Amino acid sequence: MRLPGVNTAAAVVLCIVASSCGCDRLDMYDQPRHEAMEASNFFPDGLSARPRVPGTIARGQLHADEALFTGRVGGQSVSQLPDGALRAIHARFPQRFKQPFDKTDLVELRQALLERGHERFDIYCSVCHGGAGAGDGMIVRRGFRKPPSFHIDRLRNAPAGHYFDIVTSGVGAMPSYASRIGAADRWAIVAYVRALQLSQNARLDDVPADARSILDAASAPAGAKP
């Protein structure tokens, strides 16, 4: 239907102009910024991605604790878990620990570290090393090269830093897990490996005196009087 007094051609032109007014700027679509690896005429080297200023350290990446982040002190593997591992577990779970680190019970911190290590071990390690660390994980049963058991004398006597270094750098068929497991979680895994070793090589002297009665009751013949 044609309206009286309206020029059809002029109306069409007017509609086209009106519809294109909102499309002459594409800043929202093609934003005035450099894409990854895009060239730049602003810098003399032609690179838009700039290298870090020498000496720059990102927040949280100072890594001043040598033992925590390398597993070594003075070039030698540490024999015990560093104090920083307990501090890291305290910082990770602020809702679990109601008090500052210095006032938190050491047993509670170690328990939390072992629980975290158990979880991480099951995710990353058990497929090869097995649930008890005997080297009989699921992929080993399917043909992957068998790792040594954690319970042989050589590994039971190895310092804690040795395990941290292995998880960090890899060895043999085992790749490095540094990009997948943070330093604090690597120490949690080391703590759990130590717990596994103790579980398979514990002596009666390792059991607290007030808990030995429980073992005696469990090992007593059925029907025997306590």
Side-chain angles (χ1 to χ4, degrees), residues 24-224:
D24 61 343
R25 294 183 61 82
L26 299 177
D27 288 355
M28 292 294 292
Y29 176 76
D30 186 13
Q31 299 179 21
R33 59 180 174 81
H34 288 293
E35 305 291 342
M37 307 305 292
E38 186 176 0
S40 170
N41 295 325
F42 183 81
F43 298 102
D45 59 6
L47 302 176
S48 60
R50 310 311 303 156
R52 289 185 297 179
V53 176
T56 301
I57 299 175
R59 184 184 294 274
Q61 296 184 9
L62 181 58
H63 294 181
D65 189 334
E66 182 183 7
L68 178 65
F69 291 102
T70 69
R72 297 173 179 270
V73 172
Q76 299 295 320
S77 295
V78 296
S79 59
Q80 303 293 331
L81 270 69
D83 183 66
L86 295 177
R87 290 185 178 276
I89 202 70
H90 182 275
R92 179 181 288 276
F93 300 107
Q95 295 181 344
R96 175 169 181 166
F97 304 106
K98 306 300 183 182
Q99 295 181 326
F101 174 80
D102 295 335
K103 295 183 178 180
T104 302
D105 184 60
L106 184 60
V107 173
E108 187 179 357
L109 288 168
R110 289 175 173 173
Q111 179 65 32
L113 188 68
L114 286 175
E115 290 175 2
R116 179 70 177 178
H118 187 179
E119 179 191 63
R120 299 293 97 182
F121 182 92
D122 284 351
I123 293 172
Y124 293 105
C125 313
S126 63
V127 291
C128 282
H129 294 281
D136 56 354
M138 194 57 67
I139 65 173
V140 172
R141 301 177 201 175
R142 285 160 172 75
F144 194 75
R145 199 167 92 187
K146 179 181 174 66
S149 169
F150 290 143
H151 309 297
I152 62 176
D153 291 341
R154 175 176 64 85
L155 292 182
R156 284 195 298 109
N157 296 324
H162 168 78
Y163 292 95
F164 182 86
D165 183 60
I166 294 299
V167 179
T168 302
S169 305
V171 64
M174 177 178 168
S176 165
Y177 281 83
S179 62
R180 285 163 279 185
I181 308 176
D185 279 345
R186 278 175 254 162
W187 281 116
I189 290 175
V190 174
Y192 185 68
V193 168
R194 287 302 202 208
L196 288 177
Q197 291 174 327
L198 179 61
S199 72
Q200 302 299 310
N201 296 277
R203 301 168 302 174
L204 183 60
D205 293 342
D206 297 324
V207 181
D210 58 351
R212 292 179 187 177
S213 60
I214 301 175
L215 294 179
D216 294 338
S219 60

